[in-house]
Amino acid sequence: MHNQQHRLIETDFPLRKVSEESVREKNIRHGHISTLHIWWARRPLAASRATALAALLPDDPARREKLLNLVSQIAPWEVVSGKIVGGDYLLEEARAAIRDAFGGRAPRVLDPFAGGGAIPLEALRLGCETYALDYNPVAVLLNKAVLEYPQRYGKELLEAVKTWGNWVLEQARQELERFYPKDPDGSLPVGYIWARTLPCQNPACGAEIPLMRQTWLAKKENEKVALRLVPDRTAKRVDAEIVKQKGEPIDFDPEEGTVARAHVRCPVCGGTIDDDTTRLLFREGKAGQRLMAVVLHHPERTGKTYRLPTERDLEAYRAAEAALEEKRRKLREVWGIEPVPDEPLPPLETLGFRVQRYGLVRWGDLFNARQKLALVTFADAVRRAHAEMLRAGYEPDLAKAVTTYLGLIADMTAAFCNVLARWENTSEAIKQLFSRQALPMLWDYAELNPFSGSTGSTEAGWDYYEKVIDHLANAARAATQPHAHHGTATSLPWPDDYFDAVLTDPPYYDNVNYSALSDFFYVRLKHTIGDLYPDLFATPLTPKSEEIVQDPNRQGGREQARIFFEQKLTQAFREIHRVLKPDGIAVIVFAHKTTEAWEAVINALLEAGLYMTASWPIHTEMQARLNAQETASLASSIYMVCRKRASATVGEYGRVRREIEERVRQKLTQFGMKASVGQISS
């Protein structure tokens, strides 16, 4: 290509179509990489695919409309999921257009902040020679699972994961099923609703208070069931009953629980516990837990039913407590480490973490006894599966790849099987703990039955896992093997002028504390597959010293954190500048609601010798979700198109910022999109 030939994305882009498809993608589950494993703030595949294609295609005025139409046509999920006729043809047309633009070869593309793998997956799908790098070991593992292994093994991988996944599930079922007993009529427990408890601090009362933020069990248009708390003032205790399930009227407000923002009200005497005392009681070990309700599903009937716990339920839990101690003892001898993660949670004021205020100070504290037993049993089965594969004559690298997916599946079970997983009464399903990019305290939680077949269960998850691996195997059609690297973006391991394009989504200032959040998974993966990746799991927790995040707790104060972030991001952008070819192009995604964050990223670009040639605000969030969160969450991410600066001219920041704002306004107006520049850049 000629030096500095304009690319399509620098001139025009189908913003409305790509935004619509990016938002719609949030509801897609089967086959999407989000179902393989959690990663926070993962970019939509639609936006990643469309921006990659538009960045690699030349801007040819004679063909512009045709190329823009191609970018629009490949944005829908159905094109890459095989759900529409002609999808493969469109992708091959896109690959051919890219090869033609680069003289018949595959362009070399890098994502140095690869995260969950969305951007490099789409570069791979478009036939590029793809490189993904991340500092976080969990992200590196995900990129191996998303990029490398499907490309190397294809359908053979899918069949092996099916076979050994079922083996792991059955091995775990044989050990664990008795701790989740069926009802006499054959109904399966889907989950157990637990409430944490505190003793009333009124000396004349002392009742055990179940802490519940509200008491709805089902809250649908045609199905409403609630738990009524019934105070017994004589016995000084709180009883419970389930109402509406058999037509009883709900003559109370289930929205009123016993706790709000750590302020507790006793249903027996009306006494209160202030928030500071609540936290103190938890830290002093005065809190307990109480099983409040059991959620059931009968295989031959639709819907869910609810009942109060019985002595049989409590006996099953106590049996699990006893079995856990025996299992821990045996595995400690075999593994040589404590099977239940005992690594510490990050310090109290760490960005996104508040549970330490309540005495939850180690990662193992986030699970009750039966959950711990289930998770170490799955981990043990995964480790034994690897040994069985080798004994069966599997090639070691294939056995490693298959076991990696088994470890990720066990990891996702942990996301649903912990004391921060919640019962969502509108869908009547258990939701995993990372509904936000944080770990807030949860008063009442839902305990999963891994074998129920309901949403969140390991058994139900197999269908999702198999579909996404199948999808990834179908996507693996690149001419070259993709590369997933462990390293830091501030010191890239490639020579100067190596890449045709850098497409990346760097950290958003103080939005997501990736390393601290991913420790939840890291400590478990270290137990299941850490031996297979000694370089990735060499440290007790994820490495943090070089992570580019603005975290005052870690970096010694707000000002020091700001300086650290700007310096590290500038160095990362300098490395992008260094490895990018003179005629190369970079697309950098950023989103933040503060001027301070935007100043940091724009200054870093300017200092690194990169200048912006275009910017596109792509909507990536559903408006309903933003409204439900009632936060200043951003509806748009800005895709900034950059080039290497050929001259030493430096732009004045205020003018550059005004130019960016004006361009964004023009594009929003042009495409009829309802967002303000203040929402994007201030």
Side-chain angles (χ1 to χ4, degrees):
M1 299 179 70
H2 298 297
N3 284 350
Q4 299 299 329
Q5 178 182 2
H6 277 293
R7 308 288 174 86
L8 183 62
I9 199 169
E10 293 177 294
T11 303
D12 209 342
F13 186 76
L15 188 59
R16 175 183 286 279
K17 177 64 173 177
V18 175
S19 293
E20 289 173 351
E21 294 301 330
S22 296
V23 171
R24 190 170 70 89
E25 188 181 306
K26 296 288 183 178
N27 289 322
I28 293 168
R29 292 292 178 264
H30 280 201
H32 198 281
I33 59 172
S34 62
T35 61
L36 179 68
H37 198 277
I38 290 168
W39 191 257
W40 304 269
R42 186 189 267 115
R43 291 300 90 202
L45 299 182
S48 302
R49 183 165 57 255
T51 53
L53 179 58
L56 295 169
L57 294 178
D59 177 36
D60 180 353
R63 302 170 59 224
R64 186 179 297 158
E65 289 306 314
K66 179 180 179 181
L67 295 178
L68 283 170
N69 188 50
L70 178 60
V71 174
S72 292
Q73 287 180 310
I74 70 159
W77 168 253
E78 289 75 13
V79 171
V80 297
S81 63
K83 295 293 179 63
I84 61 170
V85 176
D88 287 345
Y89 172 79
L90 285 171
L91 287 171
E92 186 47 49
E93 184 181 352
R95 296 182 193 113
I98 290 172
R99 289 194 299 269
D100 182 62
F102 284 85
R105 67 177 177 87
R108 193 176 285 152
V109 175
L110 167 68
D111 183 353
F113 296 100
I119 292 174
L121 172 62
E122 295 308 326
L124 177 68
R125 202 193 306 272
L126 293 173
C128 301
E129 184 181 334
T130 304
Y131 295 76
L133 178 140
D134 207 282
Y135 181 59
N136 190 301
V138 178
V140 177
L141 197 69
L142 293 183
N143 280 289
K144 288 183 178 295
V146 168
L147 304 171
E148 288 188 351
Y149 294 144
Q151 175 75 4
R152 185 179 302 160
Y153 297 110
K155 295 294 185 179
E156 179 186 12
L157 176 69
L158 174 62
E159 294 308 314
V161 172
K162 282 183 178 180
T163 297
W164 290 98
N166 287 330
W167 187 91
V168 167
L169 190 64
E170 290 311 310
Q171 291 289 310
R173 190 195 305 273
Q174 289 175 24
E175 287 194 52
L176 296 171
E177 199 167 33
R178 66 190 177 96
F179 302 114
Y180 307 92
K182 295 180 182 178
D183 273 19
D185 70 348
S187 294
L188 286 166
V190 170
Y192 304 86
I193 308 298
W194 292 84
R196 304 175 197 274
T197 63
L198 283 178
C200 178
Q201 296 301 287
N202 177 357
C205 180
E208 179 191 66
I209 307 170
L211 305 183
M212 303 190 75
R213 64 196 187 285
Q214 51 85 40
T215 63
W216 283 112
L217 296 174
K219 192 181 179 184
K220 295 180 176 179
E221 187 68 30
N222 59 349
E223 180 70 16
K224 288 184 169 59
V225 182
L227 191 70
R228 187 205 303 268
L229 300 181
V230 183
D232 185 330
R233 292 179 173 81
T234 303
K236 294 185 172 58
R237 70 168 185 261
V238 181
D239 294 326
E241 60 184 18
I242 293 173
V243 300
K244 192 64 176 179
Q245 189 163 236
K246 297 179 180 178
E248 310 95 327
I250 297 181
D251 55 0
F252 64 101
D253 186 2
E255 296 293 337
E256 292 185 8
T258 60
V259 60
R261 298 184 180 275
H263 292 270
V264 178
R265 177 186 59 81
C266 177
V268 176
C269 70
T272 59
I273 305 174
D274 64 64
D275 54 345
D276 288 337
T277 304
T278 295
R279 298 183 185 105
L280 178 63
L281 291 169
F282 268 87
R283 292 196 299 272
E284 290 178 342
K286 304 290 179 59
Q289 64 174 6
R290 175 177 167 184
L291 183 56
M292 302 299 296
V294 180
V295 187
L296 301 158
H297 169 68
H298 195 284
E300 298 177 2
R301 304 174 199 142
T302 59
K304 296 181 174 68
T305 58
Y306 304 84
R307 63 167 172 78
L308 296 177
T310 65
E311 182 58 31
R312 185 164 170 261
D313 297 312
L314 301 177
E315 286 175 357
Y317 185 82
R318 289 193 291 266
E321 288 180 308
L324 171 64
E325 294 312 306
E326 179 63 17
K327 187 76 173 178
R328 286 174 82 161
R329 183 187 63 78
K330 290 181 178 179
L331 293 182
R332 202 179 292 121
E333 293 175 359
V334 176
W335 296 0
I337 56 175
E338 169 56 45
V340 175
D342 60 356
E343 294 86 352
L345 283 162
L348 174 59
E349 296 306 319
T350 297
L351 177 68
F353 284 77
R354 294 294 179 267
V355 296
Q356 301 93 324
R357 296 177 178 178
Y358 301 91
L360 304 178
V361 296
R362 296 190 175 274
W363 287 106
D365 295 340
L366 303 187
F367 309 90
N368 72 24
R370 185 160 48 190
Q371 291 169 335
K372 291 174 183 177
L373 176 63
L375 294 173
V376 298
T377 300
F378 274 107
D380 180 41
V382 170
R383 291 167 68 110
R384 289 189 286 115
H386 180 255
E388 290 293 328
M389 279 182 246
L390 295 178
R391 273 194 286 271
Y394 272 62
E395 186 263 325
D397 283 349
L398 176 58
K400 177 180 178 178
V402 173
T403 308
T404 298
Y405 290 97
L406 302 182
L408 292 173
I409 292 166
D411 225 23
M412 279 298 286
T413 298
F416 287 90
C417 190
N418 57 78
V419 298
L420 298 179
R422 61 190 173 87
W423 179 251
E424 186 178 76
N425 51 48
T426 52
S427 63
E428 293 186 278
I430 295 173
K431 297 298 180 179
Q432 49 91 0
L433 76 167
F434 290 115
S435 58
R436 294 192 290 126
Q437 297 149 4
L439 280 182
M441 185 60 176
L442 195 67
W443 307 110
D444 48 290
Y445 68 92
E447 182 192 2
L448 172 79
N449 173 5
F451 310 104
S452 70
S454 293
T455 301
S457 68
T458 314
E459 190 169 60
W462 284 114
D463 184 46
Y464 288 105
Y465 306 137
E466 290 171 4
K467 281 184 169 58
V468 72
I469 296 170
D470 187 31
H471 173 76
L472 293 170
N474 286 326
R477 297 173 181 172
T480 60
Q481 173 70 24
H483 308 275
H485 292 268
H486 185 210
T488 172
T490 57
S491 182
L492 298 176
W494 295 285
D496 297 355
D497 304 336
Y498 192 71
F499 292 100
D500 297 289
V502 175
L503 313 172
T504 195
D505 178 27
Y508 295 169
Y509 204 56
D510 59 356
N511 271 12
V512 185
N513 200 336
Y514 289 99
S515 64
L517 293 171
S518 63
D519 278 337
F520 175 87
F521 297 115
Y522 181 89
V523 297
R524 309 211 72 88
L525 288 167
K526 187 167 59 173
H527 286 177
T528 51
I529 57 178
D531 290 348
L532 303 180
Y533 297 93
D535 292 340
L536 288 181
F537 293 94
T539 53
L541 296 166
T542 58
K544 297 176 175 62
S545 61
E546 294 297 311
E547 183 184 25
I548 304 176
V549 65
Q550 202 263 36
D551 187 350
N553 181 69
R554 188 187 304 172
Q555 291 138 7
R558 183 173 178 80
E559 181 60 18
Q560 291 89 334
R562 181 191 64 79
I563 293 170
F564 175 88
F565 179 86
E566 291 186 9
Q567 288 178 343
K568 291 295 183 182
L569 190 62
T570 299
Q571 180 57 29
F573 287 167
R574 284 187 178 131
E575 283 290 275
I576 289 174
H577 182 283
R578 180 183 66 78
V579 301
L580 195 61
K581 291 180 178 180
D583 64 338
I585 192 165
V587 178
I588 297 169
V589 189
F590 197 75
H592 206 279
K593 63 181 180 291
T594 69
T595 301
E596 184 180 35
W598 274 99
E599 286 178 351
V601 72
I602 297 300
N603 286 338
L605 285 171
L606 296 174
E607 288 288 331
L610 294 167
Y611 71 97
M612 200 182 309
T613 62
S615 59
W616 301 95
I618 299 179
H619 282 211
T620 57
E621 298 295 335
M622 295 177 287
Q623 192 61 43
R625 177 182 171 190
L626 297 174
N627 292 341
Q629 288 177 340
E630 296 181 354
T631 67
S633 301
L634 298 180
S636 299
S637 296
I638 309 302
Y639 285 66
M640 299 178 290
V641 185
C642 300
R643 295 276 195 169
K644 295 175 75 164
R645 191 168 62 236
S647 69
T649 305
V650 177
E652 185 268 321
Y653 170 74
R655 184 172 62 83
V656 172
R657 179 171 177 264
R658 288 192 296 274
E659 289 176 357
I660 294 171
E661 289 182 355
E662 181 56 32
R663 180 171 180 82
V664 170
R665 283 194 189 94
Q666 291 172 358
K667 293 302 177 184
L668 289 172
T669 302
Q670 177 182 348
F671 291 95
M673 304 179 77
K674 297 179 180 179
S676 67
V677 175
Q679 188 179 25
I680 294 162
S681 62
S682 63

